[in-house]
Amino acid sequence: MPATLIKEQNNLFPVFLKLEQMQVLLVGGGNVGLEKLTALLQNSPKVTVRVVALQFSAGVLQLALDNQNVALIGKLFSPEDVASADVVLVAVNDRQASREISLEAKRQGKLVNVADTPDLCDFYLGAVVRKGNLKVAISTNGKSPTLAKRLRETFQETLPAELDQVLDNLQLIRNSLTGDFAAKVTQLNAITKVLAVTEPKKETKKVTKSSTAMAQIGWALAFTVLGAVLANVLPGQMLLDQAQTFFFSLDQLFYWMILAGFVAQMVDGALGMGYGVTCTTILMSLGVNLPAISGSIHTAEVFSSGASGYHHFKLGNVNKKLFKVLLIPGVLGAIFGAYLLSVVGEEYANYVRPILAFYTLVLGARILFTAFRKAKPRQKIKKAGLLAGAGGFLDSFGGGGWGPLVTSTLISKGRTPRFVIGSVSITEFFVALASSVTFFLMLGLGHLSIVLGLVIGGLLAAPLAARLAGKLPLKTMFIAVGTLVILWSLRILVQAMGAF
């Protein structure tokens, strides 16, 4: 067979090491060293690790404080450091030094991993999916750790948490089986066969060019008829005059709203939070009445969140199970919040405004807290429906809060940010729709220029923000958004105190 026809394949032999019974040497205390140390402790919490470096990052220092089995040794690497180690990990930002350490470790018969240098490695640290006792390691043969990370995120969301219970049940069955080894294997194969059965694929109709052309002609005829009907009911000149009057009446505020809508949607689409609270603080600073603030924001948010949710769904960022859990409680909470604000907002505006400013101040602080909070292992989400209901209510009544409350809480439980942001964003469309319809029925639609500006800005940002979800430096963005919201809220509180 010609050599050109032989496909390259991954010849690595997968193993799972009992690191808790070994001694690990980590050379390097910077960001890469922190990444390696975190991976070691997440997979083998009781592993004994000695970290050798001249300097240690804050993250490495914190891990050493939290784990007594981590020892920090502040010095240059020397060959004596390798002697008592079984496994050596090199995480220094110097290729020549990495090569020398690797050669010394191999000379002493140790297994070596060198960060970002596959040719010096005896083994790779794969991306790991954990579901209780089930652990799946992913290897790209050292070619793309980023792809391995993305696959890990996908499998982490796709594989059900109940698999750990399946393992426990299978262990009980295995212990109760009788017969020789072959008989036990046969029985277990029969029991687990159902896990490998797939549903037959449904036949799909092929879309031909002729059927596509017919559909396009049908839509064209439908729009033609609709245009003719509207032309008879609403004279064209009248529509033109009203459109001209509206656009000439637009002031500088309209263009600021386009910018505000773009920035708010970029933040919301990329972080899963921040649209409402950002817009609310801006409009409160401009003195817009409270019900109109929330009504305008949620009317605009119907369009921007709809576009954002569509792009997240198209890019595979949505967890359907999480979406179903959040949907109904979120909508009910939004309706109640919008109704309550419509009743009390205008009459008690002087009292409600500083309360809402304090509320947005708390949300800003929560966003900052999320930025500096340590990552936690994945936890089971309890009362997610109640969380969505509270988020929907506060979002309508306060003009924002769905993202900062729901997104940050779900991420703090260890859920993958990409899927949390996508699921929360698509649910936000229905929450905003319920809120805006309630405001419209209670108050009518006012401040059309504000709504239109926010819509245009949000629609422009939605596709770009969806692509950036989970890819931007989240900590930096959390800090920026949280700081901005806090400053705006403090400004409003100072103004409110002066009014009183």
Side-chain angles (χ1 to χ4, degrees):
M1 181 181 291
T4 55
L5 298 180
I6 301 177
K7 293 184 178 180
E8 183 182 359
Q9 61 182 3
N10 190 332
N11 293 322
L12 298 173
F13 187 78
V15 295
F16 288 90
L17 298 175
K18 294 183 178 180
L19 282 184
E20 295 177 356
Q21 301 176 10
M22 299 181 178
Q23 299 289 325
V24 177
L25 171 66
L26 172 60
V27 183
N31 291 331
V32 180
L34 173 61
E35 181 182 343
K36 299 291 186 183
L37 183 59
T38 301
L40 288 171
L41 294 173
Q42 284 181 344
N43 286 281
S44 300
K46 296 182 180 179
V47 60
T48 301
V49 185
R50 289 183 299 117
V51 185
V52 174
L54 285 177
Q55 294 181 333
F56 303 98
S57 68
V60 172
L61 290 172
Q62 187 61 51
L63 286 179
L65 289 174
D66 296 339
N67 298 271
Q68 296 181 353
N69 47 321
V70 176
L72 304 184
I73 304 172
K75 72 178 194 67
L76 283 172
F77 168 82
S78 61
E80 293 76 18
D81 297 323
V82 180
S84 60
D86 298 300
V87 177
V88 178
L89 279 72
V90 184
V92 297
N93 189 23
D94 186 326
R95 296 185 68 87
Q96 182 59 34
S98 297
R99 178 176 294 277
E100 292 175 359
I101 297 171
S102 173
L103 292 176
E104 177 60 32
K106 290 180 179 181
R107 188 184 68 80
Q108 297 189 35
K110 313 298 183 181
L111 291 174
V112 184
N113 172 270
V114 181
D116 296 327
T117 315
D119 58 309
L120 296 180
C121 294
D122 294 320
F123 65 94
Y124 303 138
L125 300 183
V128 177
V129 180
R130 292 183 298 273
K131 294 285 182 177
N133 287 300
L134 178 66
K135 183 171 287 188
V136 181
I138 303 169
S139 168
T140 59
N141 208 14
K143 289 192 171 184
S144 178
T146 300
L147 175 60
K149 178 183 176 182
R150 297 304 176 200
L151 289 173
R152 181 200 67 196
E153 292 174 352
T154 301
F155 291 143
Q156 190 71 46
E157 289 293 328
T158 304
L159 295 175
E162 291 77 13
L163 278 176
D164 199 38
Q165 299 176 11
V166 173
L167 284 175
D168 291 337
N169 293 334
L170 285 173
Q171 184 182 31
L172 293 175
I173 295 172
R174 178 188 178 190
N175 294 336
S176 64
L177 293 177
T178 58
D180 57 16
F181 177 77
K184 291 181 179 180
V185 170
T186 301
Q187 294 176 67
L188 282 175
N189 283 339
I191 293 172
T192 57
K193 184 178 180 180
V194 65
L195 298 176
V197 175
T198 57
E199 296 182 1
K201 294 182 178 179
K202 296 180 180 179
E203 293 185 2
T204 56
K205 296 181 179 180
K206 293 184 178 180
V207 180
T208 62
K209 292 184 178 179
S210 59
S211 62
T212 303
M214 290 299 295
Q216 292 174 344
I217 293 172
W219 280 110
L221 289 174
F223 280 114
T224 302
V225 173
L226 178 61
V229 172
L230 289 177
N232 290 325
V233 176
L234 300 173
Q237 187 60 43
M238 183 184 71
L239 287 175
L240 182 60
D241 292 342
Q242 290 182 350
Q244 289 177 341
T245 301
F246 172 75
F247 282 105
F248 280 121
S249 67
L250 296 176
D251 54 16
Q252 192 176 13
L253 176 65
F254 169 73
Y255 300 101
W256 280 110
M257 286 301 98
I258 293 179
L259 179 61
F262 182 87
V263 173
Q265 185 54 43
M266 282 294 295
V267 172
D268 186 76
L271 292 181
M273 65 175 74
Y275 185 95
V277 67
T278 302
C279 291
T280 296
T281 48
I282 294 174
L283 295 181
M284 286 176 68
S285 299
L286 297 173
V288 180
N289 69 77
L290 301 180
I293 287 176
S294 193
S296 299
I297 289 172
H298 286 92
T299 303
E301 202 170 13
V302 169
F303 296 91
S304 58
S305 63
S308 178
Y310 166 76
H311 288 287
H312 276 295
F313 182 80
K314 187 177 179 180
L315 293 170
N317 296 346
V318 177
N319 183 318
K320 295 180 181 179
K321 183 177 179 181
L322 180 60
F323 164 70
K324 292 177 182 179
V325 172
L326 300 176
L327 179 60
I328 300 302
V331 167
L332 294 177
I335 293 173
F336 179 60
Y339 173 80
L340 185 61
L341 183 62
S342 301
V343 173
V344 305
E346 192 65 37
E347 184 177 356
Y348 300 99
N350 290 334
Y351 300 98
V352 175
R353 188 181 297 274
I355 293 174
L356 291 184
F358 180 76
Y359 165 64
T360 56
L361 178 67
V362 172
L363 289 182
R366 183 180 178 87
I367 294 173
L368 276 181
F369 174 74
T370 303
F372 293 101
R373 179 171 45 201
K374 290 174 57 179
K376 295 183 178 180
R378 184 186 177 95
Q379 303 173 20
K380 186 175 181 180
I381 300 174
K382 298 179 180 179
K383 300 180 180 179
L386 183 61
L387 174 68
F393 171 79
L394 293 173
D395 196 65
S396 289
F397 190 79
W402 169 259
L405 180 63
V406 180
T407 301
S408 61
T409 300
L410 293 177
I411 291 178
S412 72
K413 297 295 183 181
R415 308 287 290 196
T416 304
R418 171 191 165 195
F419 293 102
V420 169
I421 293 169
S423 304
V424 171
S425 293
I426 198 171
T427 309
E428 188 176 20
F429 165 75
F430 298 96
V431 172
L433 179 63
S435 180
S436 61
V437 169
T438 305
F439 278 119
F440 176 76
L441 294 176
M442 297 293 294
L443 305 172
L445 182 60
H447 300 278
L448 186 58
S449 63
I450 295 176
V451 174
L452 186 59
L454 294 176
V455 168
I456 293 174
L459 291 178
L460 291 173
L464 179 59
R467 290 186 177 277
L468 294 177
K471 299 178 182 178
L472 294 175
L474 293 181
K475 183 174 181 178
T476 302
M477 293 192 66
F478 278 133
I479 293 172
V481 174
T483 303
L484 190 62
V485 169
I486 288 175
L487 291 176
W488 271 333
S489 302
L490 287 174
R491 177 175 178 270
I492 296 167
L493 283 172
V494 171
Q495 290 177 340
M497 288 188 292
F500 285 103

